[in-house]
Amino acid sequence: MISRTRRLLMEITGIISALVIFGIPFYFIINSAAKNPREASLMKMSAPEQFLLLDNIKEVLSTDKGVVLTAFKNSIMITLFSLLVLVLFCSMAGYVAQRRIGKATPVINFFILTGLILPPAIVPTIWLLMSLGIFKTMFSMVMIEVALSMSFSTLIYKGFMATIPREIDEAAIVDGSSSFRLYFQIIFPLLKPTTATIIVLSSVNIFNDFVNPLYFFPGKKNVTIQLTLYNFISKYHSNWNLLFADVVIITIPMLILFIFFNRKIIAGMSAGAIKA
Amino acid sequence: MIKQMKNYYSYLFLLPAGLVFTIFFLIPAISSLFFSLTRWTLTDWTYIGLENFRMFFSEDSLRIGFQNTFLYAFLTCGLKVVFGLALGVYLTSEIRTKNYLRAVVFFPNLISTIAVGITFNSLMHPSKGAINRGLMFIGITGPDWLGNTKLALLSVINVDVWKGVGIATVIFIAGISSIPTQYYEALSIDGGNRFDKFRHITLPLVRPAMNSVIILALIGGLRTFDLIWSMTKGGPGFTTDLLASIIYKQYSSGFFGLSTAGNVFLFILVSVIAFPIYKYLNSREVDL
């Protein structure tokens, strides 16, 4: 349809702009992370005299008795526990919210919309956690991450439930299945594609979360990966190479995730957003 | 059958989610309405009426947060719609590199906001940063992107768009891909050109996708915190403070009541903007 030269021109423009707009920042991150401190502070684009990426990463990992590793462990635990609770609770909620249309439906929809739109109330949440005696614990951090991602996940499960025919439920009931067996043995396995989407999306969001751990998970022992990066901004103000080495370290898990689940992530994000 | 089915879809299934949501989201949100009317030390409070809210309007350093939050939300939203749509159209056209380019445009979404902030802080460095060096190369002296009071907020807005345009793009791609090709063929037969196709088919039929982008970008923009915090901390002075960064600043200086009042303002602002837009946009969708 479009002439050949024109198409070629379009492709070249696209690739060049992508390289400039998106490529340069990435190149800059890795390049700076591989330099020595003096070179990195010049912020030049030129290649490093010596490629010190691994040395810099080692140095970051050994900083403050391995605070980055502790942070990694915390972030991964928060992410895993949150995912577990999120998948279990939201799939159940989405299931009944879609199947049972009744007086509760508008209330449920209103809560989902509220959770999607409103930000959390910061200080009152801290006050509540303190009154319950669970402030600065991993349990409360997990619960908050769950509460804040809940509306979105429930909405996606609810949307996907609509594509599962009710005849399946009826057949199971006729065969004498109990209500819990119907859900856990029949419905939940059918929700697998949505579960995969939610796992991928929520792990990105929770792993990269900075604001909530900043407020609800303070303290020396409770560091998360984003908090350490933030603290390193002032700690490493003259060692840009180490700061960028830390950026590289915390981006690697996301990069791996992206390489394997590229299509899943993109499809999930757009599908989720359109349903929302 | 349907009546009996109710027993199987027990509301008990809603209980775990409902409990977590109520305790960790609803109760704090509702109690914020009360605590915003107090001088609060977390253990003790004194009722002071609307004093906190009055303070927000009388202090310049707080009032500026409103303006900036509005500007930030609407500008990022507008830019994401424009660039997202342009990229969406481009990446659904007949080019061979589209899968690769899609991945490239999308990847910044997966990088933590703090890391993006750090990177652009150094790219935007007034004398050593890559952006100003590039400008110098073509003979322009670049401004101090983050130090100039008039420019700083706009610079952060641009970084936000850089990071977030990928998600807008994939939503537009999904929307454009769902438009039946017969429509375009019919227009070609009638002699329409590429501009007509965009104006009369793509634009109206991509409406639902655009609505999603607008809502997501507005909600995200209104409550944004981490990017501004990692790039300017609200500075220089208070010129780039947003409501969310004011909430944090008041909180860390121990003004818990004032911080909560800011939070309530944010609730009101988000509800007043997002709920009606949500209703309005959803009522105007063009069905395929």
Side-chain angles (χ1 to χ4, degrees):
Chain A
M1 293 237 279
I2 320 168
S3 75
R4 260 206 156 161
T5 41
R6 203 189 163 128
R7 188 198 288 182
L8 199 67
L9 210 69
M10 269 173 75
E11 301 220 5
I12 292 172
T13 337
I15 292 170
I16 290 176
S17 350
L19 278 180
V20 171
I21 298 171
F22 294 98
I24 287 181
F26 293 131
Y27 167 77
F28 181 73
I29 292 174
I30 296 177
N31 199 32
S32 308
K35 287 180 172 173
N36 63 41
R38 186 187 46 79
E39 247 190 304
S41 71
L42 296 176
M43 301 182 187
K44 282 197 173 160
M45 285 291 165
S46 53
E49 292 163 6
Q50 265 183 300
F51 195 78
L52 298 170
L53 182 60
L54 288 179
D55 302 72
N56 287 337
I57 287 180
K58 257 183 225 155
E59 192 171 342
V60 172
L61 291 179
S62 61
T63 308
D64 284 349
K65 296 176 200 149
V67 69
V68 175
L69 289 175
T70 318
F72 241 107
K73 197 193 81 199
N74 283 341
S75 286
I76 289 176
M77 289 211 336
I78 292 174
T79 310
L80 282 182
F81 286 131
S82 305
L83 285 177
L84 210 71
V85 180
L86 206 57
V87 165
L88 185 67
F89 288 11
C90 297
S91 60
M92 297 200 301
Y95 159 67
V96 169
Q98 194 273 329
R99 281 299 195 251
R100 184 165 173 178
I101 305 296
K103 277 181 200 146
T105 309
V107 181
I108 298 168
N109 289 343
F110 177 74
F111 280 163
I112 290 178
L113 190 61
T114 314
L116 277 178
I117 289 178
L118 287 191
I122 308 285
V123 192
T125 311
I126 294 174
W127 164 77
L128 185 80
L129 297 178
M130 280 175 152
S131 323
L132 295 173
I134 51 172
F135 186 44
K136 300 184 186 179
T137 60
M138 188 165 289
F139 169 75
S140 64
M141 191 63 243
V142 168
M143 285 302 139
I144 286 171
E145 294 289 3
V146 170
L148 296 180
S149 326
M150 187 167 262
S151 293
F152 180 75
S153 306
T154 308
L155 194 71
I156 308 228
Y157 272 120
K158 194 174 155 226
F160 191 73
M161 269 311 295
T163 66
I164 298 176
R166 276 168 189 270
E167 284 75 22
I168 291 181
D169 308 20
E170 283 163 17
I173 292 168
V174 171
D175 286 347
S177 163
S178 73
S179 119
F180 278 82
R181 261 189 78 179
L182 164 65
Y183 170 73
F184 283 106
Q185 287 202 327
I186 297 170
I187 301 296
F188 186 70
L190 290 174
L191 292 171
K192 217 187 260 164
T194 312
T195 304
T197 308
I198 286 175
I199 288 177
V200 171
L201 293 189
S202 306
S203 54
V204 174
N205 286 337
I206 298 173
F207 190 80
N208 280 343
D209 190 9
F210 167 71
V211 191
N212 296 310
L214 178 71
Y215 281 119
F216 307 122
F217 204 53
K220 268 225 148 93
K221 271 190 162 178
N222 290 342
V223 285
T224 69
I225 209 78
Q226 304 303 333
L227 284 182
T228 38
L229 178 61
Y230 176 73
N231 292 334
F232 281 178
I233 297 178
S234 48
K235 188 181 176 69
Y236 287 156
H237 65 94
S238 55
N239 289 5
W240 286 87
N241 54 331
L242 298 183
L243 193 58
F244 282 106
D246 195 25
V247 170
V248 170
I249 294 173
I250 68 170
T251 311
I252 287 172
M254 295 300 111
L255 188 66
I256 295 172
L257 202 72
F258 190 59
I259 290 169
F260 285 109
F261 300 105
N262 175 350
R263 276 165 198 280
K264 187 98 220 159
I265 296 176
I266 293 182
M269 280 209 177
S270 47
I274 285 177
K275 274 188 199 112
Chain B
M1 197 70 193
I2 296 297
K3 276 229 157 158
Q4 292 164 308
M5 294 287 282
K6 267 193 181 171
N7 305 327
Y8 285 88
Y9 304 132
S10 160
Y11 280 140
L12 277 178
F13 282 102
L14 296 173
L15 197 64
L19 265 181
V20 173
F21 190 70
T22 310
I23 296 174
F24 293 95
F25 187 84
L26 282 183
I27 293 179
I30 293 166
S31 57
S32 71
L33 299 178
F34 169 74
F35 285 119
S36 64
L37 305 174
T38 64
R39 192 173 290 121
W40 191 21
T41 60
L42 285 179
T43 45
D44 198 20
W45 49 266
T46 354
Y47 181 79
I48 52 166
L50 293 172
E51 186 60 30
N52 287 327
F53 293 95
R54 217 179 49 79
M55 194 108 133
F56 255 95
F57 285 111
S58 56
E59 297 248 347
D60 280 342
S61 59
L62 301 177
R63 197 169 39 199
I64 198 165
F66 278 100
Q67 270 172 321
N68 287 345
T69 308
F70 264 108
L71 194 69
Y72 193 97
F74 282 98
L75 263 180
T76 49
C77 177
L79 291 171
K80 281 176 192 171
V81 168
V82 172
F83 288 119
L85 184 57
L87 281 167
V89 171
Y90 174 68
L91 292 177
T92 45
S93 66
E94 304 163 50
I95 50 168
R96 272 164 298 175
T97 42
K98 61 184 169 194
N99 283 332
Y100 152 77
L101 287 176
R102 267 181 217 189
V104 170
V105 171
F106 188 78
F107 188 67
N109 273 295
L110 302 183
I111 306 180
S112 87
T113 314
I114 303 297
V116 171
I118 291 172
T119 309
F120 276 90
N121 259 346
S122 79
L123 289 174
M124 288 177 167
H125 191 283
S127 58
K128 298 190 279 184
I131 295 178
N132 279 0
R133 269 200 207 165
L135 289 176
M136 196 93 92
F137 191 70
I138 50 170
I140 303 170
T141 313
D144 185 355
W145 298 100
L146 297 168
N148 183 330
T149 50
K150 286 193 183 114
L151 255 176
L153 190 65
L154 289 174
S155 305
V156 182
I157 287 173
N158 278 316
V159 177
D160 188 307
V161 174
W162 178 86
K163 184 180 190 299
V165 77
I167 183 85
T169 307
V170 295
I171 295 173
F172 276 119
I173 288 176
I176 294 170
S177 313
S178 69
I179 300 173
T181 45
Q182 293 96 304
Y183 292 7
Y184 292 107
E185 283 158 17
L187 196 77
S188 305
I189 292 166
D190 291 344
N193 61 22
R194 275 145 50 85
F195 178 73
D196 290 328
K197 283 183 186 168
F198 176 74
R199 168 94 179 67
H200 296 293
I201 299 176
T202 312
L203 204 53
L205 291 181
V206 85
R207 227 18 241 228
M210 193 186 285
N211 293 348
S212 303
V213 172
I214 292 175
I215 291 181
L216 281 180
L218 270 185
I219 296 173
L222 286 170
R223 52 205 270 187
T224 196
F225 170 74
D226 27 15
L227 191 62
I228 208 93
W229 196 247
S230 66
M231 291 189 73
T232 66
K233 293 213 164 102
F238 305 102
T239 46
T240 60
D241 257 329
L242 303 176
L243 271 177
S245 65
I246 288 175
I247 292 173
Y248 182 73
K249 283 182 176 172
Q250 301 305 332
Y251 158 76
S252 49
S253 353
F255 298 117
F256 299 125
L258 197 58
S259 171
T260 309
N263 218 321
V264 170
F265 262 130
L266 191 56
F267 283 167
I268 296 172
L269 200 64
V270 175
S271 321
V272 164
I273 295 174
F275 278 105
I277 289 186
Y278 190 87
K279 285 256 155 73
Y280 171 74
L281 292 181
N282 279 337
S283 66
R284 276 187 35 154
E285 280 184 13
V286 179
D287 284 318
L288 280 178

